[in-house]
Amino acid sequence: MSIFDRVVDRVADAIEDVAARARVPASIDFRNETNSSIIVVMDSDRESHTIAPHGQATFGQANVADAPTFYVKNESGVVIYSRRVGPIGAKGSYGWNGSTF
């Protein structure tokens, strides 16, 4: 490994360390624009909300620069859609229309 590669690795490690220590909370509003209840899960159960028809929930366990995956489930708990978003800012907003967000 060259000296350049070692320096780049150390800088990358330092940046990752600073980012891990400086977690800045993010707020993500998620709207259900359909006539059916849905369950929305962020990152394999980091946070989950059941959202009533035409309702809204706020996800607060994300951090700025995260790139979470959201899973939309029907009332039976079956995943009907998933999408990775991000990196996110301090505030975000998504709306489920029955086929995408």
Side-chain angles (χ1 to χ4, degrees):
M1 180 182 286
S2 74
I3 187 79
F4 177 78
D5 291 333
R6 281 185 261 170
V7 169
V8 169
D9 285 347
R10 285 198 175 197
V11 169
D13 290 345
I15 290 170
E16 189 175 307
D17 186 49
V18 168
R21 288 187 209 184
R23 298 272 182 216
V24 177
S27 176
I28 302 168
D29 293 329
F30 205 106
R31 296 174 319 284
N32 178 6
E33 299 166 352
T34 71
N35 293 325
S36 301
S37 291
I38 57 172
I39 303 163
V40 181
V41 179
M42 180 176 64
D43 283 344
S44 301
D45 295 328
R46 183 183 347 178
E47 188 172 357
S48 177
H49 295 279
T50 299
I51 306 175
H54 305 284
Q56 180 267 333
T58 300
F59 287 80
Q61 294 182 17
N63 295 296
V64 169
D66 282 353
T69 300
F70 287 95
Y71 300 87
V72 178
K73 299 180 178 183
N74 63 19
E75 294 173 286
S76 301
V78 175
V79 175
I80 54 176
Y81 186 79
S82 66
R83 180 174 137 205
R84 184 173 184 206
V85 300
I88 57 175
K91 184 145 181 73
S93 181
Y94 299 101
W96 172 249
N97 66 11
S99 60
T100 190
F101 63 87

